[in-house]
């Protein structure tokens, strides 16, 4: 998968004016600050995954940043193979560094790439998760098409982002993808000690193939 790193210069331009947060020293600052704030959300994702009773399979974390959630998943579910992908070379470098330190590199793989052109074969993953990344995606239709493509039949997508994300925007994008006609569940999510929900979760499931 690492051959895709040759595209990094084209990909990183999509980081726009927030580039400094996700590259260079900013990636380590992000790890030490923002990740602390989102850790309760990561715990919610772990709880949601546990509800599936998925004892084997592959999980993809889109917009993985320094890979904290992906590594948490690997520690919590020792029989799962976990992948994380992010546009930032420095974030992925940091994620790989932490994975080596935690001695889980046999089960966790981090790749540089764009949600609009995922470097994975069709039907690769049982579950795709994404946290606080959706609002960075340009034109939601193509990312949703890619998520559908890499899902196994019956696989699930759980996208968590701030509650200000409008459900109507995601539903409109969904309607022009293969997820059209699939009910999209959306709910406000409370985490940690917040007295109110600050996140929203969008849930989609790829239809199962049936014999004809």
């Amino acid at each position: 998968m690492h051959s895709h790193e040759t595209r990094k210069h084209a990909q990183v331009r999509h980081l726009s004016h927030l580039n400094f947060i996700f590259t260079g020293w900013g990636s380590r600052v992000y790890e030490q600050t923002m990740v602390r704030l989102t850790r309760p959300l990561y715990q919610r994702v772990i709880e949601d995954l546990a509800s599936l009773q998925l004892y084997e399979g592959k999980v993809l974390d889109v917009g993985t940043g320094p890979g904290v959630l992906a590594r948490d998943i690997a520690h919590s579910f020792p029989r799962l193979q976990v992948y994380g992908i992010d546009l930032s070379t420095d974030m992925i470098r940091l994620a790989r560094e932490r994975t080596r330190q935690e001695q889980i590199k046999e089960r966790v793989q981090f790749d540089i790439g764009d949600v609009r052109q995922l470097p994975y074969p069709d039907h690769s993953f049982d579950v795709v998760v994404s946290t606080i990344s959706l609002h960075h995606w340009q034109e939601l239709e193509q990312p949703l098409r890619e998520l559908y493509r890499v899902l196994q039949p019956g696989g699930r997508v759980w996208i968590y982002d701030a509650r200000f994300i409008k459900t109507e925007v995601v539903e409109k994008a969904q309607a022009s993808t293969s997820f059209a006609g699939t009910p999209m569940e959306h709910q406000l999510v409370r985490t940690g000690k917040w007295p109110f929900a600050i996140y929203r979760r969008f849930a989609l499931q790829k239809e199962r193939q049936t014999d004809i």
Side-chain angles (χ1 to χ4, degrees):
M1 301 293 183
H2 298 167
S3 63
H4 294 273
E5 294 178 20
T6 58
R7 304 175 184 175
K8 65 182 180 181
H9 296 300
Q11 295 165 339
V12 169
R13 70 172 180 267
H14 297 304
L15 297 179
S16 184
H17 61 287
L18 296 176
N19 191 55
F20 75 95
I21 298 176
F22 305 117
T23 60
W25 62 267
S27 61
R28 294 183 183 272
V29 173
Y30 184 95
E31 181 188 38
Q32 296 300 319
T33 57
M34 292 301 295
V35 168
R36 292 181 183 178
L37 298 176
T38 53
R39 206 65 187 253
L41 176 60
Y42 296 164
Q43 182 57 43
R44 170 58 189 262
V45 177
I46 297 295
E47 293 170 1
D48 287 346
L49 284 173
S51 71
L52 294 179
Q53 298 184 337
L54 185 66
Y55 300 111
E56 294 182 339
K58 294 182 178 180
V59 177
L60 173 64
D61 178 25
V62 176
T64 193
V68 177
L69 174 57
R71 299 188 330 261
D72 284 353
I73 293 171
H75 286 298
S76 299
F77 305 97
R79 299 181 66 178
L80 294 183
Q81 291 289 322
V82 185
Y83 292 70
I85 191 165
D86 200 277
L87 280 172
S88 169
T89 302
D90 292 307
M91 286 289 194
I92 293 299
R93 182 182 296 115
L94 182 56
R96 291 172 181 165
E97 177 185 328
R98 297 288 184 255
T99 302
R100 289 191 296 271
Q101 293 171 349
E102 296 171 15
Q103 299 181 345
I104 53 173
K105 64 179 182 179
E106 294 81 7
R107 294 189 298 107
V108 183
Q109 176 173 316
F110 290 107
D111 300 300
I112 300 166
D114 193 331
V115 66
R116 296 174 300 177
Q117 190 175 4
L118 294 171
Y120 307 110
D122 296 354
H123 317 308
S124 293
F125 299 101
D126 299 279
V127 182
V128 176
V129 299
S130 180
T131 56
I132 319 301
S133 180
L134 173 67
H135 63 274
H136 292 297
W137 299 354
Q138 299 177 5
E139 300 178 353
L140 296 183
E141 291 82 359
Q142 182 57 26
L144 289 179
R145 292 186 189 105
E146 279 293 275
L147 298 184
Y148 185 94
R149 180 183 66 79
V150 301
L151 271 184
Q152 291 271 13
R156 299 170 186 263
V157 172
W158 287 333
I159 302 174
Y160 305 75
D161 213 308
R163 66 178 294 162
F164 63 74
I165 300 296
K166 294 183 178 180
T167 301
E168 295 80 4
V169 173
V170 183
E171 288 177 332
K172 182 178 179 180
Q174 173 196 0
S176 62
T177 73
S178 295
F179 281 118
T182 300
M184 182 180 71
E185 299 178 4
H186 54 90
Q187 64 180 105
L188 294 177
V189 175
R190 288 183 59 182
T191 59
K193 297 180 180 180
W194 288 98
F196 56 89
I198 61 173
Y199 300 110
R200 189 184 302 275
R201 188 188 79 166
F202 299 95
L204 288 162
Q205 185 169 14
K206 186 173 183 176
E207 73 276 8
R208 297 183 183 275
Q209 294 176 337
T210 57
D211 295 331
I212 300 177

